Amino acid sequence: MTGRGEPPEGPPENPSGGEDEYRSLVFDESFVRAARLQEFSAQERMGDHARAVRSLPGRPTARRRRSRTGIALVLLIVLAFATAVYVGFRNPYPTPVGRRAEPLQSTVIPLAPQGPVPGGAAESLLADGPAAGHRTGASGINLPPVRRTKNFSDSQVTMALTTVKDYLVGSSLDPDVLTAGVVRPVGRLLDPDQTAQFDRSMDAPADDGEHSATGWLVRFDPAEVELADTDVRVNGTLSYTEAGADTLEVVSDHTFTYALRPAVSGPHRADGASLFTVRRVLHFLLDREDIRLHRLEVRSAYVQAGPQSCSADTTGALRPLLAGERADTRGPAGTDPYATGVPAATLCGTLGVSAPAQGPPRGPDVARSPRSRP
């Protein structure tokens, strides 16, 4: 065999052992002529679908999956809301109706003295009279021991009793209510169902057993009398029981003793005061909503107040007889059983004076005239 041949152009420029590492690669003339050089344009190098920024593999798929999940969740919420609205409109069961408060039934009985009304200094009359052992003001309205009932907790019972006490304080002890004609401290504690009846009783009192202002509160005519001492003596009791699974009944029985004097301008006589006594037996009902909202329903009121004349009109305000005055000889207004319209209650009692005592006062004897309503 012959050795390696030399290229046609002659030996390579670099001598044997040079630095050209590619000297062993020899391209013949036919290879060179067959080689074609083609330079692509920029658009051709980019191609039809080339993108300047390449997306990471798998990211578009995850984004589409989250989008579908969000749409499904929104549709589910809309479907649930629509179902709830449909069921609400198509509910076959009637909506339970809340208990409505009934109108107050009240009876106010004047107590007539058998002789002239005793007078004296207000402090002496209160300290030495029948109310000597009674407490002063709100301290005389004490809550009974509180125990939970079958359907009410001890805190609910306490709240109910506190609401009743606030009503008694506002309607029997507030000086503005007693002599200034203010009614808001009482009206704000009433169930809304009794508001209209209360407002009518204040604005247009009537002796019909439902619209007597003095059934709701203790009120005196400021043109006739004023308080000789703001310390009202109070004695009585509070009791409670369940009237149903959702209702508490509270009964208050308290005697309030006021020192009064004539409402005249100028100085008053130191011994010109006299005592006036009001016994109030009230029945209250409070449901769960009433307890929560600090309000109540006054179901009935039985009031005895004196000294007054039996003929006194006590529907709008009490009419006390003051020191030295006597009751008139007229008895209660007569009742005509043949008359039409709402019958009037015609009751009167005799005011008896008892000795000072620590316990609850004994109720006075009541002489009843014919009645046309139970």
Side-chain angles (χ1 to χ4, degrees):
M1 292 183 62
T2 60
R4 180 185 304 175
E6 297 294 336
E9 293 82 7
E13 296 180 358
N14 294 329
S16 177
E19 296 180 356
D20 188 0
E21 59 180 325
Y22 298 102
R23 60 186 180 87
S24 61
L25 297 177
V26 178
F27 299 95
D28 57 11
E29 183 177 0
S30 60
F31 174 82
V32 174
R33 290 194 183 99
R36 297 180 59 188
L37 298 177
Q38 183 178 359
E39 182 177 359
F40 293 96
S41 67
Q43 183 68 30
E44 291 174 332
R45 288 196 300 270
M46 290 177 62
D48 294 336
H49 302 286
R51 302 180 66 178
V53 179
R54 297 178 59 188
S55 300
L56 295 177
R59 186 66 59 86
T61 303
R63 185 181 297 111
R64 287 193 296 271
R65 185 181 299 111
R66 288 197 300 269
S67 177
R68 294 193 189 99
T69 303
I71 294 174
L73 181 60
V74 171
L75 291 176
L76 183 61
I77 294 175
V78 172
L79 180 61
F81 180 77
T83 303
V85 173
Y86 176 79
V87 172
F89 280 109
R90 302 287 296 177
N91 185 10
Y93 302 100
T95 303
V97 179
R99 185 186 65 85
R100 294 188 60 84
E102 298 182 7
L104 166 67
Q105 301 293 325
S106 61
T107 302
V108 181
I109 304 174
L111 301 179
Q114 296 177 326
V117 177
E123 295 80 1
S124 299
L125 292 174
L126 292 173
D128 301 329
H134 299 176
R135 295 187 177 184
T136 300
S139 63
I141 306 176
N142 298 313
L143 304 186
V146 175
R147 297 182 180 85
R148 65 171 300 147
T149 64
K150 180 179 179 181
N151 297 291
F152 291 88
S153 65
D154 52 356
S155 62
Q156 289 176 314
V157 174
T158 301
M159 292 173 63
L161 293 173
T162 301
T163 302
V164 170
K165 179 175 180 176
D166 290 344
Y167 182 89
L168 294 174
V169 171
S171 63
S172 307
L173 301 177
D174 190 330
D176 292 334
V177 174
L178 296 176
T179 58
V182 176
V183 299
R184 177 171 173 76
V186 181
R188 66 182 177 83
L189 294 173
L190 294 175
D191 188 288
D193 293 336
Q194 290 189 319
T195 300
Q197 182 190 13
F198 175 79
D199 292 341
R200 179 181 170 185
S201 301
M202 299 300 111
D203 299 335
D207 187 16
D208 58 2
E210 293 186 357
H211 298 94
S212 175
T214 50
W216 298 95
L217 47 79
V218 177
R219 171 191 275 181
F220 304 108
D221 187 347
E224 297 179 0
V225 299
E226 63 182 29
L227 293 174
D229 194 322
T230 56
D231 291 337
V232 181
R233 300 301 175 90
V234 186
N235 192 45
T237 59
L238 278 174
S239 61
Y240 66 91
T241 186
E242 281 194 9
D246 297 317
T247 309
L248 275 178
E249 179 182 12
V250 181
V251 179
S252 67
D253 184 354
H254 289 83
T255 298
F256 303 87
T257 304
Y258 307 88
L260 304 177
R261 64 189 177 194
V264 296
S265 59
H268 293 86
R269 293 174 47 190
D271 58 350
S274 60
L275 297 182
F276 188 83
T277 304
V278 180
R279 181 174 182 179
R280 309 180 72 198
V281 181
L282 306 177
H283 288 244
F284 304 93
L285 288 180
L286 300 94
D287 58 25
R288 299 182 187 278
E289 190 73 359
D290 292 332
I291 294 174
R292 185 179 67 85
L293 297 177
H294 194 64
R295 69 190 189 191
L296 48 75
E297 171 191 346
V298 189
R299 174 58 60 87
S300 66
Y302 184 82
V303 181
Q304 300 172 331
Q308 298 182 101
S309 294
C310 288
S311 59
D313 181 8
T314 60
T315 55
L318 300 174
R319 309 291 178 182
L321 296 172
L322 301 177
E325 295 181 341
R326 291 175 176 268
D328 57 36
T329 57
R330 291 177 296 167
T335 301
D336 181 5
Y338 297 98
T340 59
V342 180
T346 55
L347 302 175
C348 188
T350 300
L351 178 64
V353 179
S354 59
Q358 298 293 333
R362 181 180 178 182
D365 296 330
V366 177
R368 300 176 182 267
S369 59
R371 301 179 62 184
S372 57
R373 59 189 301 273

